[in-house]
Structure formats: structure tokens, C-alpha cells
Amino acid sequence: MSRPEANPWLVLTGLSLGVLVTNGFGRFAYGLILPAMRADLDWSYAQAGWLNTANALGYIAGAVGTMLALRRLAPARLFAIGLAVTALSLVATGLVPALWWQSLWRFLTGLFGALSFSTAGALAARLWAGDPRRNALGIGILFGSGGGSAIVLCGATLPAMLSGWGDAAWPWAWLIVGGLSLACLPLGLWAAWRAPAVPRRSADAPPLPLRAMSAQFLGYAGFGLGYIVYLTFLSSWMREQAAGTLQVALVWVLLGGCITVSPLLWRGVFARHASGRPLALVLCAIAAGSALPVLWAGPAGLVVSAAVFGLSVFMAPPAITSFTRQNLPPESWGSAISLFTVVFAVAQTLGPYAAGWLGDRTGSIGPSLLAAAALLLLGALAASRQKAL
């Protein structure tokens, strides 16, 4: 007797919780907790950036591992394993302050987070396979609502908590984030079990058209190099500008809220274009958001920056997923998205440490934000040259 078909919106909600944990909590909560960790542990900008680089190195390993594992394991199983271990790693991050320990758990968070992130898009793309507009909306919601909700939750609570309890309370921030991640496991694991099966790529399947997709790969590399600088160092930049706790919290809540609603803004673009144009437009918007805090100093500039950045930053992965869905057969989706994730992860490895190094040399993180914006614009230029296959 076959099991009844699950509500696709409920399945999408569970998959979105996976993105909330692996991306929102696993990668971007660090930007809010970082100023307290840096002050309490007396880290340099380079040391602070190194932990995100360790996370990115784990992400590379996870993305490559996903490509290899997809030959034997279903995407749903990889999604579930990645989600469970990421949640446990976040709890462990709050236990020991030593840099080597922090590096280990940031690495493992990236490693297993990549398993979930690389497979989530392929699972969601099967929910409405015959409805392009609903499919584009679902993919956008997967990445936008998951990551955006996490940033809203963290932005509304962590700055106030760390301000009231002091910088030494940063381990509690990680324990709270880890506890919320564990609470997301039941629905996330159920969604992986009930998501439509993704066809397995056979050994004799034709290879991916890598040369024809090269402009899109370059554009996504630009995204990996540039976007992470803003999310890693936004709170540090605001502290440099003597921003108060309430202002930091409001900016992060605005950022997360805009991320959450961003799929509504971009779904038509994704549905209409099978080329690299959606990614190029997204990268231009991210670049503008990254540069605005420096070019337009003051609270108004930060507010506009958070809105522009939030309405675009989580739309790069949906742009890649939509491009893959429209141009490749279903059995190639998992492998193609994993390969895009590898390219993104390799590029992302360089961003935080290089930005921290530049911040140490200049005495401010502002020049790093401008350099990140320039890299994003170069990525947009590359993506604009990608034609539909």
C-alpha cells in the first residue's frame, strides 16, 4: 500500500528549516556573535575571519563529498545527515573557547551544512516540476525564508542578550542557536523523507556541459568571494561607527525580513529567464548593498543597505537552481548544483580571511566592504554573458 502524498507546502517548510539551520544559523549567526567573541577572546580581524574561512573549507569538502556521495546515496538521505550533524555542531561551538576547537566545529558545520544545502534545491525543485512560476516561487522560498527567518530571530535577540550579559556570554548565544537547530530536526527530517524522489544520475549519463556553463560558474564564484564579507563583518562595521545595540538589532531584523520576502520580488525574473541574467541582476543588487554603508555613512545608509542587500543576497542560490532546472535533465540537477556549490565554496574560502587581513592593515573594515562590492560586480559581468543552453 503506497503512502499518501504529502502536502508540498509542508514539505517545503521542512526543507526551509534545513536551510534555516545550515545557512541562517550555521553560517550567518556568526556575524552577530563575532564582535562579542572577538572582544572577549582578544582576536584580530584576521583570526575572526579565519573561522569563517575554516567554515568555508568544510563547505568545500562537503560540496565535493556530496557530488561523490550522490552516486550511492539519495539526496534526501544526504540532506537529513547534514541537517542533524550541523545542529549538533552548533551546540558544540558554545562549549570550549580555544581557537582550535572553534575552528574544528566551524569546519564541521560547513562540511555537513553543505550536504543539506547542496541537496535541498534538488529536492524542492521536484515539488512543482510542471509549474514554472510556482516552482520558481518554491525555490525562492526555500532559500529566502529559511535564511531570512534565522537572521530575524538572531538579530532580534542576540545583540540585546550580548549587550545585557556582556561579551563573555557568547557561549550562551551558540547554545541557544544550537538548541533552536535541534528543535528544527523533526520537521526537517520528515520533509526529507516525504520529498519527491530525485532521479539517480546513471554512470553512462552524458557529462555536464561545463564549457557552455562557464560564465554562470564565474558569476557564482564572484558571489562566493563577495557576499560573505558583509554578513561576517556588518556588526563589526557598526561597532566601528559606534552604533547602539538597538540599532544593530533593528538593522539585522530588517535584513532578515527583507531576505524572507525576497522570493516574491524575484520569482518572475527566475521564471522568465533561463540564461545568466537573473544571477547578474542579483549580484548587482548585492554589490550595491555591500558598498552603501561605506559610501553613505550614517543610520540612513545602513537601513537602505540592509534592505537592498537583504532583498537580493539569498536569491543567488535560487538563480543557480532555477538555471539548472530549466537547462538540464532532472537526473543532473543534484550533480550540477553540487558542482556550483563547490565553485562557490572555493571562492568563499578566500573572502573572510582576505577581508579581515585588509581590515587589520587599514584599521577599518570599510575598505573590505568596497572590495567585496567590486568582486560582486565582476561576477555580475560574467553571469550576464551566460546564455540559455
Side-chain angles (χ1 to χ4, degrees), residues 169-214:
W170 64 263
W172 283 106
W174 282 116
L175 293 175
I176 291 170
V177 166
L180 290 173
S181 299
L182 292 175
C184 292
L185 282 181
L187 185 55
L189 297 178
W190 174 86
W193 177 56
R194 297 308 302 271
V198 178
R200 191 76 57 85
R201 183 175 172 83
S202 62
D204 58 350
L208 296 174
L210 300 182
R211 180 173 296 182
M213 299 164 63
S214 60

Side-chain angles (χ1 to χ4, degrees), residues 79-353:
F79 176 89
I81 293 171
L83 175 57
V85 179
T86 299
L88 294 173
S89 298
L90 291 173
V91 174
T93 306
L95 299 180
V96 179
L99 186 62
W100 68 267
W101 177 271
Q102 293 295 318
S103 299
L104 171 65
W105 292 110
R106 291 300 292 161
F107 177 86
L108 291 177
T109 298
L111 173 66
F112 287 95
L115 293 183
S116 281
F117 192 77
S118 296
T119 51
L123 293 172
R126 297 286 294 171
L127 291 174
W128 295 281
D131 187 338
R133 288 188 66 83
R134 188 170 291 183
N135 192 279
L137 177 61
I139 292 170
I141 289 174
L142 170 73
F143 296 107
S145 65
S149 299
I151 290 176
V152 169
L153 286 171
C154 293
T157 57
L158 295 182
M161 188 198 85
L162 291 170
S163 175
W165 295 3
D167 292 331
W170 64 263
W172 283 106
W174 282 116
L175 293 175
I176 291 170
V177 166
L180 290 173
S181 299
L182 292 175
C184 292
L185 282 181
L187 185 55
L189 297 178
W190 174 86
W193 177 56
R194 297 308 302 271
V198 178
R200 191 76 57 85
R201 183 175 172 83
S202 62
D204 58 350
L208 296 174
L210 300 182
R211 180 173 296 182
M213 299 164 63
S214 60
Q216 195 80 333
F217 283 122
L218 288 173
Y220 209 45
F223 170 64
L225 280 168
Y227 91 101
I228 192 64
V229 175
Y230 185 94
L231 290 170
T232 301
F233 291 113
L234 175 61
S235 292
S236 297
W237 169 254
M238 295 179 72
R239 182 170 285 197
E240 282 186 20
Q241 307 305 305
T245 301
L246 180 60
Q247 184 180 353
V248 173
L250 289 176
V251 166
W252 276 92
V253 168
L254 174 63
L255 174 66
C258 288
I259 290 172
T260 302
V261 301
S262 58
L264 301 176
L265 178 66
W266 291 95
R267 60 175 176 171
V269 177
F270 297 154
R272 286 194 301 269
H273 298 285
S275 66
R277 180 174 296 180
L279 180 61
L281 293 173
V282 166
L283 294 181
C284 285
I286 301 172
S290 297
L292 275 171
V294 184
L295 301 179
W296 185 0
L302 277 169
V303 168
V304 176
S305 164
V308 172
F309 192 92
L311 288 171
S312 54
V313 65
F314 269 35
M315 291 299 98
I320 289 300
T321 304
S322 181
F323 173 84
T324 300
R325 188 191 67 81
Q326 294 182 71
N327 288 284
L328 296 173
E331 60 270 18
S332 297
W333 291 354
S335 298
I337 293 172
S338 297
L339 184 55
F340 273 115
T341 305
V342 172
V343 171
F344 158 77
V346 170
Q348 180 185 240
T349 304
L350 304 175
Y353 186 80

Side-chain angles (χ1 to χ4, degrees), residues 38 43-50 233 236-237 240 352-353 355-357 359-360 363-365:
R38 187 168 173 262
W43 286 345
S44 67
Y45 275 126
Q47 286 175 309
W50 155 251
F233 291 113
S236 297
W237 169 254
E240 282 186 20
Y353 186 80
W357 179 87
D360 288 333
S364 170
I365 207 64

